[in-house]
Short mmCIF file of all heavy atoms in Angstrom, two decimals:
data_model
loop_
_atom_site.label_atom_id
_atom_site.label_comp_id
_atom_site.label_asym_id
_atom_site.label_seq_id
_atom_site.Cartn_x
_atom_site.Cartn_y
_atom_site.Cartn_z
N VAL A 1406 124.07 39.45 26.94
CA VAL A 1406 124.29 40.42 28.02
C VAL A 1406 122.97 41.02 28.48
O VAL A 1406 122.70 41.11 29.69
CB VAL A 1406 125.26 41.53 27.55
CG1 VAL A 1406 125.26 42.69 28.54
CG2 VAL A 1406 126.67 40.97 27.41
N VAL A 1409 121.03 38.52 30.58
CA VAL A 1409 121.58 38.39 31.94
C VAL A 1409 121.15 39.58 32.79
O VAL A 1409 120.77 39.42 33.97
CB VAL A 1409 123.12 38.27 31.90
CG1 VAL A 1409 123.69 38.28 33.33
CG2 VAL A 1409 123.53 36.99 31.20
N ARG A 1410 121.18 40.78 32.24
CA ARG A 1410 120.75 41.96 32.99
C ARG A 1410 119.29 41.86 33.39
O ARG A 1410 118.90 42.26 34.50
CB ARG A 1410 120.99 43.22 32.14
CG ARG A 1410 122.45 43.64 32.05
CD ARG A 1410 122.63 44.81 31.14
NE ARG A 1410 124.03 45.24 31.08
CZ ARG A 1410 124.57 45.92 30.09
NH1 ARG A 1410 123.81 46.26 29.03
NH2 ARG A 1410 125.83 46.26 30.12
N ARG A 1413 119.13 39.53 36.35
CA ARG A 1413 119.62 40.16 37.57
C ARG A 1413 118.71 41.28 38.07
O ARG A 1413 118.75 41.64 39.25
CB ARG A 1413 121.04 40.68 37.35
CG ARG A 1413 122.07 39.57 37.23
CD ARG A 1413 122.06 38.68 38.46
NE ARG A 1413 122.93 37.50 38.32
CZ ARG A 1413 122.72 36.36 38.91
NH1 ARG A 1413 121.65 36.21 39.70
NH2 ARG A 1413 123.55 35.35 38.75
N LEU A 1419 124.02 36.47 43.35
CA LEU A 1419 124.61 35.43 42.50
C LEU A 1419 124.43 34.03 43.05
O LEU A 1419 124.49 33.06 42.28
CB LEU A 1419 126.11 35.71 42.30
CG LEU A 1419 126.48 36.57 41.09
CD1 LEU A 1419 126.00 38.00 41.28
CD2 LEU A 1419 127.99 36.56 40.86
N HIS A 1432 131.62 37.57 24.32
CA HIS A 1432 132.30 38.65 25.05
C HIS A 1432 132.24 38.35 26.55
O HIS A 1432 131.35 38.80 27.27
CB HIS A 1432 131.65 39.99 24.74
CG HIS A 1432 132.50 41.18 25.05
ND1 HIS A 1432 132.91 41.48 26.34
CD2 HIS A 1432 133.03 42.15 24.25
CE1 HIS A 1432 133.63 42.59 26.32
NE2 HIS A 1432 133.73 43.01 25.06
N PHE A 1433 133.21 37.58 27.02
CA PHE A 1433 133.24 37.05 28.39
C PHE A 1433 133.11 38.14 29.44
O PHE A 1433 132.30 38.05 30.37
CB PHE A 1433 134.54 36.26 28.59
CG PHE A 1433 134.79 35.82 30.00
CD1 PHE A 1433 134.11 34.75 30.54
CD2 PHE A 1433 135.73 36.48 30.79
CE1 PHE A 1433 134.35 34.34 31.84
CE2 PHE A 1433 135.98 36.07 32.09
CZ PHE A 1433 135.29 35.01 32.62
N GLU A 1434 133.91 39.20 29.32
CA GLU A 1434 133.96 40.24 30.35
C GLU A 1434 132.61 40.94 30.53
O GLU A 1434 132.18 41.21 31.66
CB GLU A 1434 135.05 41.26 30.01
CG GLU A 1434 136.46 40.69 30.00
CD GLU A 1434 136.80 39.92 28.74
OE1 GLU A 1434 136.02 40.02 27.76
OE2 GLU A 1434 137.82 39.21 28.74
N SER A 1435 131.93 41.21 29.43
CA SER A 1435 130.62 41.88 29.50
C SER A 1435 129.58 40.98 30.16
O SER A 1435 128.72 41.46 30.91
CB SER A 1435 130.15 42.28 28.10
OG SER A 1435 130.94 43.31 27.58
N LEU A 1436 129.65 39.68 29.90
CA LEU A 1436 128.68 38.75 30.48
C LEU A 1436 128.88 38.63 31.99
O LEU A 1436 127.90 38.60 32.76
CB LEU A 1436 128.81 37.38 29.82
CG LEU A 1436 128.34 37.33 28.36
CD1 LEU A 1436 128.81 36.05 27.68
CD2 LEU A 1436 126.83 37.45 28.29
N ILE A 1437 130.14 38.56 32.44
CA ILE A 1437 130.41 38.50 33.88
C ILE A 1437 129.99 39.81 34.55
O ILE A 1437 129.37 39.81 35.62
CB ILE A 1437 131.90 38.21 34.13
CG1 ILE A 1437 132.27 36.79 33.66
CG2 ILE A 1437 132.25 38.38 35.61
CD1 ILE A 1437 131.61 35.66 34.42
N LYS A 1438 130.29 40.91 33.92
CA LYS A 1438 129.93 42.22 34.48
C LYS A 1438 128.41 42.38 34.57
O LYS A 1438 127.90 43.00 35.51
CB LYS A 1438 130.51 43.34 33.61
CG LYS A 1438 130.33 44.74 34.19
CD LYS A 1438 131.03 45.78 33.33
CE LYS A 1438 130.83 47.18 33.92
NZ LYS A 1438 131.50 48.22 33.08
N ALA A 1439 127.68 41.79 33.63
CA ALA A 1439 126.22 41.88 33.64
C ALA A 1439 125.61 41.05 34.76
O ALA A 1439 124.45 41.27 35.14
CB ALA A 1439 125.66 41.43 32.30
N GLY A 1440 126.38 40.06 35.29
CA GLY A 1440 125.88 39.27 36.41
C GLY A 1440 125.89 37.78 36.22
O GLY A 1440 125.33 37.05 37.04
N ALA A 1441 126.54 37.28 35.16
CA ALA A 1441 126.64 35.83 34.98
C ALA A 1441 127.64 35.24 35.96
O ALA A 1441 128.69 35.83 36.21
CB ALA A 1441 127.06 35.50 33.55
N ASN A 1442 127.32 34.07 36.53
CA ASN A 1442 128.26 33.36 37.39
C ASN A 1442 129.36 32.72 36.54
O ASN A 1442 130.53 32.71 36.93
CB ASN A 1442 127.55 32.27 38.18
CG ASN A 1442 126.50 32.81 39.11
OD1 ASN A 1442 125.45 33.27 38.66
ND2 ASN A 1442 126.74 32.74 40.41
N ALA A 1444 130.57 32.10 32.23
CA ALA A 1444 130.34 32.62 30.89
C ALA A 1444 131.45 32.15 29.96
O ALA A 1444 132.45 31.57 30.37
CB ALA A 1444 130.27 34.15 30.91
N VAL A 1492 133.01 32.93 38.42
CA VAL A 1492 133.33 33.47 39.74
C VAL A 1492 132.92 32.46 40.80
O VAL A 1492 132.14 31.55 40.54
CB VAL A 1492 132.60 34.81 39.98
CG1 VAL A 1492 133.04 35.85 38.96
CG2 VAL A 1492 131.08 34.63 39.94
#
Side-chain angles (χ1 to χ4, degrees):
V1406 168
V1409 174
R1410 285 176 178 157
R1413 289 303 173 209
L1419 270 68
H1432 199 297
F1433 172 76
E1434 296 79 12
S1435 291
L1436 291 166
I1437 293 294
K1438 187 176 180 180
N1442 298 71
V1492 299

